[in-house]
């Protein structure tokens, strides 16, 4: 790795180099194949859990409702995100491969951010769904119609694809003045953009794209839960508040799991806190790899209908004698 770093430092220029250099998990470079096992295990469990959610929602007509449709989209984003991360992670784990071509890096960056923003957008849509269901229960069916859900899906698609599609092209044509050594095990937009020369033409657009999703969505989700909290205070009994609050438990857990590590990483970078690199790398892994693994468990445990439908589908059917 030191040879790569030296070579990259000496050849830093004003154009994009053919490769970027990734950083593996410190301390494991000597035994790369060891941490391939937990990586593959996490990925397979994530794919299995989210696949079960997708399967049961697609097959059960009783689950064809807004809340479960958004859960379907959340599982799609989780599978897509974990899949987009795997190529460079497994390359580091199996072969200790730190170099990745610029085109492959930008492609990975595009898909990682598309699915990250998709997850953030779906979590916001789910917060809106819960707020309408609790604050306006009588008008909920007329407010969140199939037409409204279709428009929400179009808006999510535009945020994910329309806004992010120009980013790889902008970054590919920006001048670079710093050694092209990244600080993560995968290609992320802020990591690549910080290597560009000051005054690059795409910097403002890149900042707008990032803040429009990751900065705005948590605030809107917080506002939605503020409305929910105010309505719950007016409920007559503690039991009614508990039952209404339980419908939000899985979603609130997913929101915290997704945003807390992201906010901590942003604060560490912005405040330049003296946090060891291994701790930053592990926090980044938690942010990207843990939600796809935990979300299916959260929703299977907290949502009775999902749990019952999965159990019903998996239960052996009795065959009568002819």
């Amino acid at each position: 790795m030191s040879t790569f770093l030296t070579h990259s430092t000496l050849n830093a220029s004003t154009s994009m180099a053919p490769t970027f250099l990734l950083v593996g998990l410190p301390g494991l470079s000597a035994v790369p194949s060891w941490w391939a096992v937990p990586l593959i295990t996490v990925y397979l469990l994530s794919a299995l859990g989210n696949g079960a959610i997708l399967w049961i929602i697609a097959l059960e007509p009783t689950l064809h409702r807004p809340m479960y449709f958004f859960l379907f989209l959340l599982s799609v984003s989780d599978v897509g995100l974990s899949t987009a991360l795997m190529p460079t992670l497994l390359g580091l784990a199996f072969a200790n491969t730190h170099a990745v071509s610029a085109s492959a890096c930008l492609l990975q960056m595009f898909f990682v951010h598309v699915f990250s923003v998709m997850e953030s957008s779906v979590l916001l849509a789910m917060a809106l769904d819960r707020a309408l269901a609790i604050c306006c229960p009588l008008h909920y069916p007329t407010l969140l119609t199939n037409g409204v859900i279709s428009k929400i899906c179009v808006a999510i698609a535009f945020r994910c694809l329309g806004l992010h599609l120009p980013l790889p092209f902008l970054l590919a044509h920006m001048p670079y003045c710093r050694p092209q050594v990244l600080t993560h095990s995968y290609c992320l937009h802020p990591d690549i953009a910080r290597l560009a020369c000051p005054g690059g033409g795409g910097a403002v657009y890149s900042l707008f794209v990032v803040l429009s999703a990751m900065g705005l969505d948590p605030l809107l989700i917080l506002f939605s839960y503020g409305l929910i909290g105010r309505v719950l205070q007016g409920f007559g009994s503690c039991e009614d508040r508990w039952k209404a609050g339980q419908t939000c438990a899985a979603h609130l857990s997913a929101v915290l799991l997704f945003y807390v590590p992201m906010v901590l990483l942003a604060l560490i970078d912005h405040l330049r806190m003296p946090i060891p690199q291994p701790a930053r790398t592990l926090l980044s892994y938690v942010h990207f790899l843990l939600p796809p693994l935990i979300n299916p468990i959260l929703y299977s445990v907290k949502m009775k209908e999902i749990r019952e439908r999965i159990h019903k589908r998996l239960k052996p059917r009795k065959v009568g004698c002819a």
Side-chain angles (χ1 to χ4, degrees), residues 172-220:
H173 293 90
M174 288 174 67
Y176 287 80
C177 302
R178 299 176 181 86
Q180 290 172 295
V181 181
L182 304 179
T183 59
H184 293 285
S185 304
Y186 22 76
C187 300
L188 302 177
H189 169 264
D191 218 11
I192 300 174
R194 71 177 177 82
L195 303 177
C197 300
V204 176
Y205 180 77
S206 301
L207 183 62
F208 164 75
V209 170
V210 173
L211 293 181
S212 65
M214 296 307 186
L216 183 62
D217 290 0
L219 296 178
L220 294 177

Side-chain angles (χ1 to χ4, degrees), residues 11-217:
N11 290 280
S13 63
T14 57
S15 60
M16 177 172 281
T19 60
F20 285 97
L21 300 178
L22 303 169
V23 174
L25 190 62
L28 294 181
S29 57
V31 282
S33 60
W34 179 87
W35 63 293
V37 176
L39 270 179
I40 294 175
T41 302
V42 166
Y43 177 72
L44 291 178
L45 290 176
S46 300
L48 179 64
N50 286 289
I53 297 289
L54 295 172
W55 168 68
I56 202 65
I57 293 176
L59 290 182
E60 284 290 338
T62 57
L63 299 180
H64 294 174
R65 287 179 279 160
M67 178 171 60
Y68 297 105
F69 177 72
F70 292 137
L71 178 57
F72 186 93
L73 293 182
L74 185 68
S75 292
V76 170
S77 65
D78 279 337
V79 172
L81 180 58
S82 55
T83 301
L85 294 167
M86 282 300 115
T88 52
L89 286 174
L90 293 179
L92 285 165
F94 279 116
N96 201 27
T97 303
H98 291 268
V100 58
S101 68
S103 58
C105 191
L106 293 176
L107 187 65
Q108 184 186 50
M109 179 210 74
F110 173 74
F111 282 110
V112 167
H113 285 287
V114 162
F115 286 115
S116 293
V117 171
M118 180 179 177
E119 179 146 356
S120 181
S121 302
V122 172
L123 288 173
L124 175 58
M126 295 174 85
L128 173 65
D129 172 76
R130 291 298 83 209
L132 290 176
I134 293 174
C135 300
C136 310
L138 297 179
H139 301 286
Y140 174 74
T142 58
L143 290 173
L144 211 59
T145 61
N146 290 337
V148 172
I149 292 174
S150 299
K151 292 176 182 177
I152 292 174
C153 291
V154 171
I156 291 175
F158 176 74
R159 291 183 88 195
C160 297
L161 298 173
L163 290 179
H164 284 80
L165 194 58
L167 283 181
F169 300 100
L170 288 172
L171 290 173
H173 293 90
M174 288 174 67
Y176 287 80
C177 302
R178 299 176 181 86
Q180 290 172 295
V181 181
L182 304 179
T183 59
H184 293 285
S185 304
Y186 22 76
C187 300
L188 302 177
H189 169 264
D191 218 11
I192 300 174
R194 71 177 177 82
L195 303 177
C197 300
V204 176
Y205 180 77
S206 301
L207 183 62
F208 164 75
V209 170
V210 173
L211 293 181
S212 65
M214 296 307 186
L216 183 62
D217 290 0

Side-chain angles (χ1 to χ4, degrees), residues 207 262-274 280:
L207 183 62
M262 182 190 73
V263 171
L264 290 177
L265 282 169
L267 287 175
I268 289 171
D269 289 338
H270 182 71
L271 301 177
R272 301 186 182 277
M273 299 171 66
R280 296 189 186 197

Side-chain angles (χ1 to χ4, degrees), residues 225 245-255 295 298-299 302-303:
Y225 273 100
Q246 279 297 100
T247 63
C248 302
H251 176 256
L252 186 57
S253 301
V255 167
N295 283 344
L298 282 174
Y299 282 97
K302 292 293 184 180
M303 299 180 78

